[in-house]
Amino acid sequence: MTVDTIAPHLLPTHVGMVMDGNRRWAKKAGFANPGAGHDVGADHVEDLLGWCTHWGIDHLTSYVLSADNIRKRPKSQVDHLFGILAEKLPQTVVRSDRWALHVSGDLSLLPGDAAEALRAAERKTADRPAHLTMAIGYDPHGDIVEGIRRAIAAGATEIDEQAITAALPGGPIKEIDLVIRTSGEQRLSGFFPWQTAKAEIVVSEKLWPDFTEADFAEALRSYAVGRSSAAS
């Protein structure tokens, strides 16, 4: 099976992206400030949205910033990331005209301007047909606990898998079919453990700013081959 011959029914409905390697990319490229890699990586999200649109993928979840990173990274690094969250990423989604933004995580960990920019982008894009969930201030255990709390608050008569899944933050389809991780790391790093329970995983050796549309298409091909084999 080649990229050009992937049948639409073999494509994932929901793709998860762990966009890793921004700081390593900046060091490799010779930038004095490794944070420059995060700027380039944030700009690259617009390309990712375009690739998903091209392939007819309407559900995308991306790992942006964990709660642990906010608490443990040096303040200068975190402040730089907060600036990106206040300016670049919300505007990228709003500008897309197609993607509705959902944020999963604790926005109280962010400065007020960043949190409000993200909430405003959620409001502005709420009625759009495609769904982008960004993990920001994200804690994997906290995500599941919050889903249980929401299910109870919504009056679910039985707290089962369906009730918890429906109550989790994000778009209407929560289950992630394919997770793509860049930078060669062979781990999920707490990336949506409930939603990725049945996901296929493709690891790319490319650092996120170097990850191309051809790399994305190859990950889709790998997923499609696996699905085709499982069905035969």
Side-chain angles (χ1 to χ4, degrees):
M1 183 187 300
T2 66
V3 169
D4 294 333
T5 60
I6 300 175
H9 73 278
L10 295 177
L11 289 169
T13 298
H14 189 166
V15 171
M17 283 293 314
V18 182
M19 304 175 293
D20 194 24
N22 294 301
R23 290 175 59 79
R24 277 174 279 170
W25 179 89
K27 291 177 182 177
K28 183 180 175 181
F31 285 92
N33 178 11
H38 290 295
D39 293 315
V40 175
D43 291 337
H44 203 25
V45 170
E46 189 162 9
D47 298 322
L48 175 62
L49 298 182
W51 304 339
C52 288
T53 298
H54 172 78
W55 285 96
I57 295 167
D58 292 334
H59 301 272
L60 173 67
T61 292
S62 64
Y63 211 156
V64 178
L65 182 61
S66 72
D68 273 350
N69 280 341
I70 292 174
R71 298 184 182 108
K72 295 178 180 178
R73 283 191 177 185
K75 185 176 184 301
S76 59
Q77 290 183 22
V78 175
D79 286 347
H80 185 77
L81 293 169
F82 286 158
I84 291 172
L85 294 175
E87 300 169 11
K88 285 193 175 188
L89 286 181
Q91 289 308 310
T92 293
V93 184
V94 170
R95 191 167 57 243
S96 73
D97 291 330
R98 180 172 181 267
W99 293 87
L101 177 64
H102 309 269
V103 175
S104 183
D106 184 1
L107 291 186
S108 71
L109 298 175
L110 275 60
D113 59 339
E116 179 51 36
L118 291 163
R119 292 191 186 101
E122 286 184 303
R123 293 191 295 268
K124 288 178 183 177
T125 62
D127 296 328
R128 294 179 177 179
H131 299 272
L132 167 63
T133 300
M134 287 186 170
I136 299 172
Y138 180 80
D139 175 79
H141 294 150
D143 186 49
I144 297 171
V145 170
E146 183 62 23
I148 295 170
R149 286 175 175 163
R150 289 187 182 193
I152 294 170
T157 55
E158 184 176 355
I159 307 303
D160 56 12
E161 178 183 346
Q162 288 72 29
I164 295 169
T165 299
L168 290 169
I173 295 180
K174 304 296 195 305
E175 187 170 273
I176 297 172
D177 304 304
L178 168 65
V179 176
I180 304 170
R181 176 162 190 156
T182 61
S183 85
E185 298 289 344
Q186 303 283 332
R187 53 194 170 88
L188 285 177
S189 300
F191 181 75
F192 292 86
W194 185 279
Q195 297 91 322
T196 59
K198 299 176 183 177
E200 299 291 329
I201 302 171
V202 172
V203 175
S204 171
E205 296 296 324
K206 296 279 192 73
L207 304 176
W208 168 240
D210 288 331
F211 190 78
T212 68
E213 184 171 8
D215 298 320
F216 183 75
E218 178 57 27
L220 298 183
R221 189 198 68 80
S222 178
Y223 174 84
V225 168
R227 285 199 64 188
S228 180
S229 298
S232 61

